[in-house]
Amino acid sequence: MPQVIRQCVPFLVSLTILCLFLAWGDGYLTGPLSASVAAGGFIGLFGVVLYAAFGVVHHAEKVAHRLGEPYGTLLLTFSVTGIEVALIATVMLTGEASPTLTRDTMLAVLMIVLNGFVGLALLLGGFMHKEQSYNLQGANAFLAVIIPLAVIALVLPRFTVSTSDPTFSTSQSVVISIATVLLYFVFISVQTFRHRGYFQEPVAEVPSVVEEGQEQASLKATIFHALVLFASILVIVFLSKRLAVFVDFGVSQHQLPISLGGVIIALIVLTPEGLSALNAARKNALQRSVNLLMGSALATIGLSVPIMLFIGLSVDQKVILGLDSVQMILLLLTLLMSALTFGGARTGVLHGAVHLVLFITYILLIYVP
């Protein structure tokens, strides 16, 4: 029982904070906020949501261990994507959210994943193991879908003339959203059924023998972790609405870069999963890092963008997806470098260093474009 309670601490903490907001805190959010209250509220709630997100990853990994690869990382990706969609949607529907929030969050996810965490993973793995191998076919399958979807979603709207803004028209949004979701689920079918071996470690592990009693205990534990996982995501969804108030206040009142809101959302969502990917690279399990990181990037484009377009159409809110020229160059350079990095069977510290340089450049240009 003490172990069960320890595993539920992130969920219990976040649930307690949510109950406090429901009982007393929501009244303060409806009135004018002072700078000190807003800063303290943001830091505290950001920490709680991030802590709860670590809990989500913990329970998802417990379930994932039973499911095996690639189902395990796929479950973790879906869990993280659910948090991401909830955060973006609540910020969009709270206050005066920027119409570029979806675009900025998508770009932030791609930059943090494909440059920040990939760079750190390759650098860490290279220092500890010199060179690391992975399943080339799996990485190429990820990139074969990420590259066209990223260009269609974030670059193409800048050049369309159906609207005066860098957006898709209603008919274009509907067709592209449906096509994107269908392509994503074609990829999922390839990943989980037709070519599952592409997404497993190049050297298969020897299966362990599990006795019947252990198997039953494992099944009960899996059900427990799955229930806490679902409940934790629900709590994060409700807390994200409160966090959105502080994000909107900080961006509008302190004249911070508008894209900073997207970076904050991406950091909340990706930090736990990114740390899991770094730990896998440290253990010389680079394929798991590839599955986690590229799976997050693909789910962001394949699921989050269509959902946000649907929400925008439903509430008649403009969703600007087209990147500006500086962002576009960074995205295209990142996609090109990713194709080069995962174009061979082994990686090393040089690849990681290049990706980190691109990430540092992205952070710098947020403040000084």
Side-chain angles (χ1 to χ4, degrees):
M1 184 61 67
Q3 183 180 2
V4 171
I5 294 176
R6 285 197 300 269
Q7 292 177 338
C8 292
V9 168
F11 167 68
L12 295 175
V13 169
S14 58
L15 180 61
T16 301
I17 297 300
L18 176 60
C19 292
L20 292 175
F21 268 105
L22 293 175
W24 298 288
D26 285 345
Y28 292 100
L29 297 181
T30 57
L33 297 174
S34 65
S36 58
V37 171
F42 169 76
I43 293 173
L45 195 53
F46 179 88
V48 171
V49 173
L50 187 60
Y51 185 46
F54 273 102
V56 168
V57 172
H58 169 75
H59 292 290
E61 286 188 330
K62 291 294 185 181
V63 179
H65 180 71
R66 178 178 175 85
L67 296 178
E69 293 295 336
Y71 302 112
T73 53
L74 191 60
L75 172 67
L76 185 56
T77 297
F78 281 147
S79 301
V80 171
T81 303
I83 298 174
E84 177 186 333
V85 170
L87 287 170
I88 299 174
T90 50
V91 174
M92 282 180 62
L93 301 175
T94 303
E96 299 178 359
S98 167
T100 62
L101 176 66
T102 298
R103 178 197 71 183
D104 294 334
T105 304
M106 299 301 103
L107 180 64
V109 169
L110 292 175
M111 293 296 108
I112 293 172
V113 168
L114 297 181
N115 287 329
F117 282 121
V118 164
L120 286 174
L122 297 182
L123 203 61
L124 178 63
F127 274 125
M128 298 191 68
H129 306 285
K130 291 188 178 179
E131 288 186 333
Q132 290 184 290
S133 60
Y134 60 95
N135 199 317
L136 179 62
Q137 293 170 308
N140 285 340
F142 274 116
L143 290 173
V145 184
I146 290 174
I147 292 175
L149 289 188
V151 172
I152 291 173
L154 299 176
V155 176
L156 193 60
R158 177 59 62 178
F159 299 98
T160 57
V161 295
S162 55
T163 62
S164 58
D165 298 306
T167 61
F168 290 124
S169 65
T170 300
S171 59
Q172 289 173 337
S173 297
V174 171
V175 173
I176 289 176
S177 296
I178 294 174
T180 298
V181 172
L182 289 176
L183 178 57
Y184 180 76
F185 282 103
V186 168
F187 174 86
I188 294 301
S189 70
V190 170
Q191 184 181 19
T192 55
F193 295 107
R194 297 185 66 86
H195 299 290
R196 181 183 174 187
Y198 289 179
F199 306 92
Q200 297 175 328
E201 293 292 338
V203 179
E205 298 181 355
V206 178
S208 58
V209 178
V210 181
E211 297 180 357
E212 183 178 355
Q214 294 175 323
E215 180 73 18
Q216 292 176 354
S218 177
L219 178 60
K220 292 180 180 179
T222 301
I223 295 174
F224 163 76
H225 288 295
L227 291 175
V228 179
L229 169 67
F230 179 72
S232 299
I233 293 177
L234 285 180
V235 172
I236 291 176
V237 169
F238 288 110
L239 284 178
S240 63
K241 182 177 180 180
R242 282 78 187 174
L243 183 64
V245 176
F246 297 118
V247 173
D248 185 65
F249 176 86
V251 171
S252 60
Q253 297 297 320
H254 297 284
Q255 298 181 344
L256 297 174
I258 295 177
S259 58
L260 192 60
V263 175
I264 292 172
I265 293 174
L267 283 175
I268 293 174
V269 171
L270 295 173
T271 297
E273 190 176 25
L275 292 178
S276 179
L278 293 181
N279 187 48
R282 181 181 63 85
K283 296 179 179 178
N284 203 23
L286 186 61
Q287 185 59 46
R288 177 166 171 79
S289 295
V290 170
N291 290 347
L292 283 169
L293 297 176
M294 290 199 175
S296 290
L298 179 55
T300 294
I301 300 297
L303 294 179
S304 299
V305 169
I307 292 173
M308 292 306 107
L309 286 175
F310 174 76
I311 292 175
L313 293 175
S314 300
V315 300
D316 195 24
Q317 182 170 320
K318 185 185 299 182
V319 178
I320 294 178
L321 290 177
L323 300 173
D324 61 33
S325 56
V326 173
Q327 295 171 327
M328 198 182 305
I329 291 173
L330 276 175
L331 174 63
L332 295 177
L333 188 57
T334 296
L335 296 176
L336 174 61
M337 189 59 212
S338 297
L340 293 175
T341 296
F342 295 102
R346 304 182 71 84
T347 61
V349 294
L350 179 61
H351 300 97
V354 174
H355 282 279
L356 285 178
V357 168
L358 290 176
F359 179 68
I360 293 171
T361 304
Y362 163 70
I363 296 298
L364 175 66
L365 293 178
I366 290 177
Y367 293 94
V368 187

